[in-house]
Amino acid sequence: QTTTPPPLSPTNPMADLEDTSQFLPHTDIDWSLLFSPSEWYITPEVLQEHYQSLLMSMGFSLVCSLIFLFARSKAGISKKHSFWHDMRFARLRFSDKWFVILWMAMYVPLSVGAWLVYIEQDENWSRALTIYALHMLVNVLFPVSLWWVQDLSLALLNLLTLIGVAMFTTSQFGRVLYFASYINTPYLLFLLVYLLEFCYFWYLNEGQELMDIANLQAAKTVGVSLPTSKGGAAVAGAAGAAASGSTSSSPAMRRKKRAGPPEHIKNQLQRRMKEIRREENEDID
């Protein structure tokens, strides 16, 4: 509720503005009520009165969870020689099992927060809920791009977008009810930690390959011949295809490209690049 300030005095207008604390916004969180269950936002009475909207909010998250699991099944994680098994992973990471559990568990505070915002505004649809719905759309696009489309770069872009939209959603919840934004804190922390892991995962499987191709192109630009040993022509052909922008939409071809050149070819390339740097340094001297 908003309070209309009284009219200013014509004789001394500044005197009426000395005490303006009653018009400043106050936080709706009183931590002293933490040990007073009757004053909590979620009480048996509130659940009994608004259980239908809570079920709708939980049902929406359930639909998102089903899309998440369906997209994950497209990666063939439980099968050998699948898209996911050909990936390279960091030693310290969330296991596939725990990642699914944590990702789906984060839907619970999101659902509760959206429900609290809904009942706080007398069960009226608001801008905060519209942004929440858009956020959930971006949320399900991440597993779709990662496991169904099987494009790591697109998945990384979706994850960055998801974190930005999640922060904006939390800020919009805070404008209506601070508690609704506070309970989303574990979700934001989980996304930030997972972003670090996923960036390294992307580097191992696509970023490193892109850097190798860029080094090959740099060597070709300065007129250095590529290795002619077994497999060298295949690496040069891969570099030429990347330079011309030609890509294959076949998952099998993408898995083959992510596997990279054989180990002895990598060693030859590394030695050759060291020779190039040494020659460049000599020219500079």
CSV table of all heavy atoms in Angstrom, one decimal, residues 118-165:
chain,number,residue,atom,x,y,z
A,118,TYR,N,2.6,-14.6,-6.8
A,118,TYR,CA,1.3,-14.7,-7.3
A,118,TYR,C,0.2,-14.3,-6.2
A,118,TYR,O,-0.7,-13.5,-6.4
A,118,TYR,CB,1.0,-16.0,-7.9
A,118,TYR,CG,-0.4,-16.2,-8.5
A,118,TYR,CD1,-0.7,-15.5,-9.7
A,118,TYR,CD2,-1.3,-17.0,-8.0
A,118,TYR,CE1,-2.0,-15.6,-10.3
A,118,TYR,CE2,-2.6,-17.2,-8.6
A,118,TYR,CZ,-2.9,-16.5,-9.7
A,118,TYR,OH,-4.1,-16.7,-10.3
A,119,ILE,N,0.4,-15.0,-5.1
A,119,ILE,CA,-0.6,-14.7,-4.0
A,119,ILE,C,-0.4,-13.4,-3.3
A,119,ILE,O,-1.3,-12.8,-2.7
A,119,ILE,CB,-0.6,-15.9,-3.0
A,119,ILE,CG1,0.8,-15.9,-2.2
A,119,ILE,CG2,-0.9,-17.2,-3.7
A,119,ILE,CD1,0.8,-17.0,-1.2
A,120,GLU,N,0.9,-12.9,-3.4
A,120,GLU,CA,1.2,-11.6,-2.8
A,120,GLU,C,0.5,-10.5,-3.5
A,120,GLU,O,0.1,-9.4,-2.9
A,120,GLU,CB,2.7,-11.3,-2.8
A,120,GLU,CG,3.1,-10.0,-2.2
A,120,GLU,CD,2.9,-9.9,-0.7
A,120,GLU,OE1,2.7,-11.0,0.0
A,120,GLU,OE2,3.0,-8.8,-0.1
A,121,GLN,N,0.3,-10.7,-4.8
A,121,GLN,CA,-0.4,-9.7,-5.7
A,121,GLN,C,-1.9,-10.1,-5.9
A,121,GLN,O,-2.5,-9.8,-6.9
A,121,GLN,CB,0.3,-9.6,-7.0
A,121,GLN,CG,1.7,-9.0,-6.8
A,121,GLN,CD,2.4,-8.8,-8.1
A,121,GLN,OE1,2.2,-9.5,-9.1
A,121,GLN,NE2,3.2,-7.7,-8.2
A,122,ASP,N,-2.5,-10.7,-4.9
A,122,ASP,CA,-3.9,-11.1,-4.9
A,122,ASP,C,-4.3,-11.9,-6.1
A,122,ASP,O,-5.3,-11.7,-6.7
A,122,ASP,CB,-4.8,-9.8,-4.8
A,122,ASP,CG,-4.5,-9.0,-3.6
A,122,ASP,OD1,-4.3,-9.6,-2.5
A,122,ASP,OD2,-4.6,-7.7,-3.7
A,123,GLU,N,-3.3,-12.9,-6.4
A,123,GLU,CA,-3.6,-13.9,-7.5
A,123,GLU,C,-3.8,-13.2,-8.8
A,123,GLU,O,-4.7,-13.6,-9.6
A,123,GLU,CB,-4.7,-14.8,-7.1
A,123,GLU,CG,-4.4,-15.7,-5.9
A,123,GLU,CD,-5.4,-16.8,-5.6
A,123,GLU,OE1,-6.5,-16.7,-6.3
A,123,GLU,OE2,-5.2,-17.6,-4.8
A,124,ASN,N,-3.0,-12.2,-9.1
A,124,ASN,CA,-3.1,-11.5,-10.4
A,124,ASN,C,-1.8,-11.7,-11.1
A,124,ASN,O,-0.7,-11.7,-10.5
A,124,ASN,CB,-3.3,-10.0,-10.2
A,124,ASN,CG,-4.7,-9.7,-9.6
A,124,ASN,OD1,-5.7,-10.3,-10.0
A,124,ASN,ND2,-4.8,-8.7,-8.6
A,125,TRP,N,-1.9,-11.9,-12.4
A,125,TRP,CA,-0.7,-12.0,-13.2
A,125,TRP,C,0.1,-10.7,-13.3
A,125,TRP,O,-0.6,-9.7,-13.5
A,125,TRP,CB,-1.0,-12.5,-14.6
A,125,TRP,CG,0.2,-13.0,-15.4
A,125,TRP,CD1,0.9,-12.3,-16.3
A,125,TRP,CD2,0.7,-14.3,-15.3
A,125,TRP,NE1,1.9,-13.1,-16.8
A,125,TRP,CE2,1.9,-14.3,-16.2
A,125,TRP,CE3,0.5,-15.5,-14.6
A,125,TRP,CZ2,2.7,-15.4,-16.4
A,125,TRP,CZ3,1.3,-16.6,-14.8
A,125,TRP,CH2,2.3,-16.6,-15.7
A,126,SER,N,1.4,-10.7,-13.2
A,126,SER,CA,2.2,-9.5,-13.1
A,126,SER,C,3.4,-9.6,-14.1
A,126,SER,O,3.6,-10.7,-14.7
A,126,SER,CB,2.6,-9.2,-11.7
A,126,SER,OG,3.5,-10.3,-11.2
A,127,ARG,N,4.1,-8.6,-14.2
A,127,ARG,CA,5.3,-8.6,-15.0
A,127,ARG,C,6.4,-9.6,-14.5
A,127,ARG,O,7.1,-10.2,-15.3
A,127,ARG,CB,5.9,-7.1,-15.0
A,127,ARG,CG,7.2,-7.0,-15.8
A,127,ARG,CD,7.8,-5.7,-15.6
A,127,ARG,NE,9.1,-5.6,-16.2
A,127,ARG,CZ,9.9,-4.5,-16.1
A,127,ARG,NH1,9.5,-3.5,-15.4
A,127,ARG,NH2,11.1,-4.5,-16.8
A,128,ALA,N,6.5,-9.7,-13.1
A,128,ALA,CA,7.4,-10.6,-12.6
A,128,ALA,C,7.2,-12.0,-13.0
A,128,ALA,O,8.1,-12.8,-13.3
A,128,ALA,CB,7.4,-10.5,-11.0
A,129,LEU,N,5.9,-12.4,-13.1
A,129,LEU,CA,5.6,-13.8,-13.5
A,129,LEU,C,5.8,-14.0,-15.0
A,129,LEU,O,6.1,-15.1,-15.4
A,129,LEU,CB,4.1,-14.1,-13.1
A,129,LEU,CG,3.8,-14.1,-11.6
A,129,LEU,CD1,2.3,-14.3,-11.4
A,129,LEU,CD2,4.6,-15.1,-10.9
A,130,THR,N,5.6,-12.9,-15.8
A,130,THR,CA,5.9,-13.0,-17.2
A,130,THR,C,7.4,-13.3,-17.4
A,130,THR,O,7.8,-14.1,-18.2
A,130,THR,CB,5.5,-11.8,-17.9
A,130,THR,OG1,4.1,-11.6,-17.7
A,130,THR,CG2,5.8,-11.9,-19.4
A,131,ILE,N,8.2,-12.6,-16.7
A,131,ILE,CA,9.7,-12.8,-16.8
A,131,ILE,C,10.0,-14.1,-16.3
A,131,ILE,O,10.9,-14.8,-16.8
A,131,ILE,CB,10.4,-11.7,-16.0
A,131,ILE,CG1,10.1,-10.3,-16.7
A,131,ILE,CG2,11.9,-11.9,-16.0
A,131,ILE,CD1,10.7,-9.1,-15.9
A,132,TYR,N,9.4,-14.6,-15.2
A,132,TYR,CA,9.6,-16.0,-14.7
A,132,TYR,C,9.3,-17.0,-15.8
A,132,TYR,O,10.1,-18.0,-16.0
A,132,TYR,CB,8.8,-16.2,-13.5
A,132,TYR,CG,8.7,-17.6,-13.1
A,132,TYR,CD1,9.7,-18.3,-12.5
A,132,TYR,CD2,7.5,-18.4,-13.3
A,132,TYR,CE1,9.6,-19.6,-12.1
A,132,TYR,CE2,7.4,-19.7,-12.9
A,132,TYR,CZ,8.5,-20.3,-12.3
A,132,TYR,OH,8.4,-21.6,-11.9
A,133,ALA,N,8.2,-16.8,-16.5
A,133,ALA,CA,7.8,-17.8,-17.6
A,133,ALA,C,8.9,-17.8,-18.7
A,133,ALA,O,9.3,-18.8,-19.2
A,133,ALA,CB,6.5,-17.5,-18.1
A,134,LEU,N,9.4,-16.6,-19.1
A,134,LEU,CA,10.4,-16.5,-20.1
A,134,LEU,C,11.7,-17.2,-19.6
A,134,LEU,O,12.5,-17.8,-20.3
A,134,LEU,CB,10.7,-15.1,-20.5
A,134,LEU,CG,9.5,-14.4,-21.2
A,134,LEU,CD1,9.9,-12.9,-21.4
A,134,LEU,CD2,9.2,-15.0,-22.5
A,135,HIS,N,12.0,-17.0,-18.3
A,135,HIS,CA,13.2,-17.6,-17.7
A,135,HIS,C,13.1,-19.1,-17.8
A,135,HIS,O,14.1,-19.8,-18.1
A,135,HIS,CB,13.3,-17.2,-16.2
A,135,HIS,CG,14.1,-18.1,-15.4
A,135,HIS,ND1,13.5,-19.0,-14.6
A,135,HIS,CD2,15.5,-18.2,-15.3
A,135,HIS,CE1,14.5,-19.7,-14.0
A,135,HIS,NE2,15.7,-19.3,-14.4
A,136,MET,N,11.9,-19.7,-17.5
A,136,MET,CA,11.8,-21.2,-17.6
A,136,MET,C,11.9,-21.7,-19.0
A,136,MET,O,12.4,-22.8,-19.2
A,136,MET,CB,10.4,-21.6,-17.0
A,136,MET,CG,10.3,-21.3,-15.5
A,136,MET,SD,11.5,-22.1,-14.5
A,136,MET,CE,11.0,-23.8,-14.6
A,137,LEU,N,11.5,-20.8,-20.0
A,137,LEU,CA,11.7,-21.2,-21.4
A,137,LEU,C,13.2,-21.3,-21.7
A,137,LEU,O,13.7,-22.3,-22.3
A,137,LEU,CB,11.0,-20.2,-22.3
A,137,LEU,CG,11.2,-20.4,-23.8
A,137,LEU,CD1,10.6,-21.7,-24.2
A,137,LEU,CD2,10.6,-19.2,-24.6
A,138,VAL,N,14.0,-20.3,-21.3
A,138,VAL,CA,15.4,-20.4,-21.5
A,138,VAL,C,16.0,-21.5,-20.7
A,138,VAL,O,17.0,-22.2,-21.2
A,138,VAL,CB,16.1,-19.0,-21.1
A,138,VAL,CG1,17.6,-19.1,-21.2
A,138,VAL,CG2,15.5,-17.9,-21.8
A,139,ASN,N,15.5,-21.8,-19.6
A,139,ASN,CA,16.0,-22.9,-18.7
A,139,ASN,C,15.9,-24.3,-19.5
A,139,ASN,O,16.8,-25.1,-19.5
A,139,ASN,CB,15.2,-23.0,-17.4
A,139,ASN,CG,15.7,-24.1,-16.5
A,139,ASN,OD1,15.5,-25.3,-16.7
A,139,ASN,ND2,16.3,-23.6,-15.4
A,140,VAL,N,14.8,-24.5,-20.1
A,140,VAL,CA,14.6,-25.8,-20.8
A,140,VAL,C,15.4,-25.8,-22.2
A,140,VAL,O,15.6,-26.9,-22.7
A,140,VAL,CB,13.1,-26.2,-21.1
A,140,VAL,CG1,12.4,-26.3,-19.7
A,140,VAL,CG2,12.4,-25.1,-21.9
A,141,LEU,N,15.7,-24.7,-22.7
A,141,LEU,CA,16.5,-24.6,-23.9
A,141,LEU,C,17.9,-25.1,-23.7
A,141,LEU,O,18.5,-25.5,-24.7
A,141,LEU,CB,16.5,-23.2,-24.5
A,141,LEU,CG,15.2,-22.7,-25.2
A,141,LEU,CD1,15.3,-21.3,-25.7
A,141,LEU,CD2,14.8,-23.7,-26.3
A,142,PHE,N,18.4,-24.9,-22.5
A,142,PHE,CA,19.8,-25.4,-22.3
A,142,PHE,C,19.9,-26.9,-22.5
A,142,PHE,O,20.8,-27.4,-23.2
A,142,PHE,CB,20.2,-25.0,-20.9
A,142,PHE,CG,21.6,-25.6,-20.5
A,142,PHE,CD1,22.7,-25.1,-21.1
A,142,PHE,CD2,21.6,-26.6,-19.5
A,142,PHE,CE1,23.9,-25.7,-20.7
A,142,PHE,CE2,22.8,-27.2,-19.2
A,142,PHE,CZ,24.0,-26.7,-19.8
A,143,PRO,N,19.1,-27.8,-21.8
A,143,PRO,CA,19.3,-29.2,-22.0
A,143,PRO,C,19.0,-29.6,-23.5
A,143,PRO,O,19.5,-30.5,-24.0
A,143,PRO,CB,18.3,-29.8,-21.0
A,143,PRO,CG,17.3,-28.8,-20.7
A,143,PRO,CD,18.1,-27.5,-20.7
A,144,VAL,N,18.0,-28.9,-24.1
A,144,VAL,CA,17.7,-29.2,-25.5
A,144,VAL,C,18.9,-28.9,-26.4
A,144,VAL,O,19.3,-29.8,-27.3
A,144,VAL,CB,16.5,-28.4,-26.0
A,144,VAL,CG1,16.3,-28.5,-27.5
A,144,VAL,CG2,15.2,-28.8,-25.2
A,145,SER,N,19.6,-27.8,-26.2
A,145,SER,CA,20.7,-27.5,-27.1
A,145,SER,C,21.9,-28.4,-26.7
A,145,SER,O,22.7,-28.7,-27.6
A,145,SER,CB,21.1,-26.0,-26.9
A,145,SER,OG,21.4,-25.7,-25.5
A,146,LEU,N,22.1,-28.8,-25.5
A,146,LEU,CA,23.2,-29.6,-25.1
A,146,LEU,C,23.1,-31.0,-25.5
A,146,LEU,O,24.0,-31.6,-26.1
A,146,LEU,CB,23.4,-29.5,-23.6
A,146,LEU,CG,24.5,-30.4,-23.0
A,146,LEU,CD1,25.9,-30.0,-23.6
A,146,LEU,CD2,24.6,-30.2,-21.5
A,147,TRP,N,21.9,-31.7,-25.2
A,147,TRP,CA,21.8,-33.1,-25.4
A,147,TRP,C,21.0,-33.5,-26.7
A,147,TRP,O,21.2,-34.5,-27.2
A,147,TRP,CB,21.1,-33.7,-24.2
A,147,TRP,CG,22.0,-33.7,-23.0
A,147,TRP,CD1,23.3,-34.1,-23.0
A,147,TRP,CD2,21.7,-33.4,-21.7
A,147,TRP,NE1,23.9,-34.0,-21.7
A,147,TRP,CE2,22.9,-33.5,-20.9
A,147,TRP,CE3,20.5,-32.9,-21.0
A,147,TRP,CZ2,22.9,-33.3,-19.5
A,147,TRP,CZ3,20.6,-32.7,-19.7
A,147,TRP,CH2,21.7,-32.9,-18.9
A,148,TRP,N,20.0,-32.6,-27.1
A,148,TRP,CA,19.2,-33.0,-28.2
A,148,TRP,C,19.9,-32.4,-29.5
A,148,TRP,O,20.1,-33.2,-30.4
A,148,TRP,CB,17.8,-32.4,-28.1
A,148,TRP,CG,16.8,-33.0,-29.0
A,148,TRP,CD1,17.0,-33.8,-30.1
A,148,TRP,CD2,15.4,-32.9,-28.9
A,148,TRP,NE1,15.9,-34.2,-30.7
A,148,TRP,CE2,14.8,-33.6,-30.0
A,148,TRP,CE3,14.5,-32.2,-28.0
A,148,TRP,CZ2,13.5,-33.7,-30.2
A,148,TRP,CZ3,13.1,-32.3,-28.3
A,148,TRP,CH2,12.6,-33.0,-29.3
A,149,VAL,N,20.2,-31.1,-29.5
A,149,VAL,CA,20.8,-30.6,-30.7
A,149,VAL,C,22.3,-31.0,-30.7
A,149,VAL,O,22.9,-31.0,-31.8
A,149,VAL,CB,20.7,-29.0,-30.7
A,149,VAL,CG1,21.3,-28.4,-31.9
A,149,VAL,CG2,19.2,-28.6,-30.6
A,150,GLN,N,22.9,-31.2,-29.5
A,150,GLN,CA,24.3,-31.6,-29.4
A,150,GLN,C,25.3,-30.6,-29.9
A,150,GLN,O,26.2,-30.9,-30.7
A,150,GLN,CB,24.5,-33.0,-30.0
A,150,GLN,CG,23.6,-34.1,-29.4
A,150,GLN,CD,23.8,-35.4,-30.1
A,150,GLN,OE1,24.6,-35.6,-31.0
A,150,GLN,NE2,23.1,-36.4,-29.6
A,151,ASP,N,25.0,-29.3,-29.5
A,151,ASP,CA,25.9,-28.2,-29.9
A,151,ASP,C,26.4,-27.6,-28.7
A,151,ASP,O,25.7,-26.9,-27.9
A,151,ASP,CB,25.1,-27.2,-30.8
A,151,ASP,CG,26.0,-26.2,-31.5
A,151,ASP,OD1,27.0,-25.9,-30.9
A,151,ASP,OD2,25.7,-25.8,-32.6
A,152,LEU,N,27.7,-27.8,-28.4
A,152,LEU,CA,28.3,-27.3,-27.1
A,152,LEU,C,28.3,-25.8,-27.1
A,152,LEU,O,28.1,-25.1,-26.0
A,152,LEU,CB,29.6,-27.9,-26.9
A,152,LEU,CG,29.7,-29.4,-26.8
A,152,LEU,CD1,31.1,-29.8,-26.4
A,152,LEU,CD2,28.7,-29.9,-25.7
A,153,SER,N,28.7,-25.2,-28.2
A,153,SER,CA,28.7,-23.7,-28.2
A,153,SER,C,27.4,-23.1,-28.0
A,153,SER,O,27.3,-22.1,-27.3
A,153,SER,CB,29.3,-23.2,-29.6
A,153,SER,OG,30.6,-23.7,-29.8
A,154,LEU,N,26.4,-23.6,-28.6
A,154,LEU,CA,25.0,-23.1,-28.4
A,154,LEU,C,24.6,-23.3,-27.0
A,154,LEU,O,23.9,-22.4,-26.4
A,154,LEU,CB,24.0,-23.8,-29.4
A,154,LEU,CG,22.6,-23.4,-29.3
A,154,LEU,CD1,22.4,-21.9,-29.6
A,154,LEU,CD2,21.7,-24.2,-30.3
A,155,ALA,N,24.9,-24.4,-26.4
A,155,ALA,CA,24.6,-24.7,-25.0
A,155,ALA,C,25.3,-23.7,-24.1
A,155,ALA,O,24.7,-23.2,-23.1
A,155,ALA,CB,25.0,-26.1,-24.6
A,156,LEU,N,26.5,-23.4,-24.4
A,156,LEU,CA,27.2,-22.4,-23.6
A,156,LEU,C,26.6,-21.0,-23.7
A,156,LEU,O,26.4,-20.3,-22.7
A,156,LEU,CB,28.7,-22.3,-24.0
A,156,LEU,CG,29.6,-21.3,-23.3
A,156,LEU,CD1,29.6,-21.5,-21.8
A,156,LEU,CD2,31.0,-21.2,-23.9
A,157,LEU,N,26.1,-20.6,-24.8
A,157,LEU,CA,25.4,-19.4,-25.0
A,157,LEU,C,24.1,-19.4,-24.3
A,157,LEU,O,23.7,-18.4,-23.6
A,157,LEU,CB,25.2,-19.1,-26.5
A,157,LEU,CG,24.4,-17.8,-26.9
A,157,LEU,CD1,25.2,-16.6,-26.4
A,157,LEU,CD2,24.2,-17.8,-28.4
A,158,ASN,N,23.4,-20.5,-24.3
A,158,ASN,CA,22.1,-20.6,-23.6
A,158,ASN,C,22.4,-20.5,-22.1
A,158,ASN,O,21.6,-19.9,-21.3
A,158,ASN,CB,21.4,-21.9,-23.9
A,158,ASN,CG,20.7,-21.8,-25.2
A,158,ASN,OD1,20.2,-20.8,-25.6
A,158,ASN,ND2,20.5,-23.0,-25.9
A,159,LEU,N,23.5,-21.1,-21.6
A,159,LEU,CA,23.7,-21.1,-20.2
A,159,LEU,C,24.0,-19.7,-19.7
A,159,LEU,O,23.6,-19.2,-18.6
A,159,LEU,CB,24.9,-22.0,-19.8
A,159,LEU,CG,25.3,-22.2,-18.4
A,159,LEU,CD1,24.1,-22.7,-17.5
A,159,LEU,CD2,26.5,-23.1,-18.2
A,160,LEU,N,24.8,-18.9,-20.5
A,160,LEU,CA,25.1,-17.5,-20.1
A,160,LEU,C,23.8,-16.7,-20.1
A,160,LEU,O,23.6,-15.9,-19.2
A,160,LEU,CB,26.1,-17.0,-21.1
A,160,LEU,CG,27.5,-17.5,-21.1
A,160,LEU,CD1,28.4,-17.0,-22.2
A,160,LEU,CD2,28.2,-17.2,-19.7
A,161,THR,N,23.0,-16.9,-21.1
A,161,THR,CA,21.7,-16.2,-21.2
A,161,THR,C,20.8,-16.6,-20.0
A,161,THR,O,20.1,-15.7,-19.4
A,161,THR,CB,20.9,-16.6,-22.5
A,161,THR,OG1,21.8,-16.3,-23.6
A,161,THR,CG2,19.7,-15.7,-22.6
A,162,LEU,N,20.8,-17.9,-19.6
A,162,LEU,CA,20.0,-18.3,-18.5
A,162,LEU,C,20.4,-17.7,-17.2
A,162,LEU,O,19.6,-17.2,-16.4
A,162,LEU,CB,20.1,-19.9,-18.4
A,162,LEU,CG,19.5,-20.5,-17.1
A,162,LEU,CD1,18.0,-20.2,-17.2
A,162,LEU,CD2,19.7,-22.0,-17.1
A,163,ILE,N,21.7,-17.5,-17.0
A,163,ILE,CA,22.2,-16.9,-15.7
A,163,ILE,C,21.7,-15.4,-15.7
A,163,ILE,O,21.3,-14.9,-14.7
A,163,ILE,CB,23.7,-17.0,-15.6
A,163,ILE,CG1,24.1,-18.4,-15.4
A,163,ILE,CG2,24.2,-16.1,-14.5
A,163,ILE,CD1,25.6,-18.7,-15.4
A,164,GLY,N,21.8,-14.7,-16.8
A,164,GLY,CA,21.4,-13.3,-16.9
A,164,GLY,C,19.9,-13.2,-16.6
A,164,GLY,O,19.4,-12.3,-15.8
A,165,VAL,N,19.1,-14.1,-17.3
A,165,VAL,CA,17.6,-14.0,-17.1
A,165,VAL,C,17.3,-14.4,-15.7
A,165,VAL,O,16.3,-13.9,-15.1
A,165,VAL,CB,16.9,-14.9,-18.1
A,165,VAL,CG1,15.4,-14.9,-17.9
A,165,VAL,CG2,17.3,-14.4,-19.5
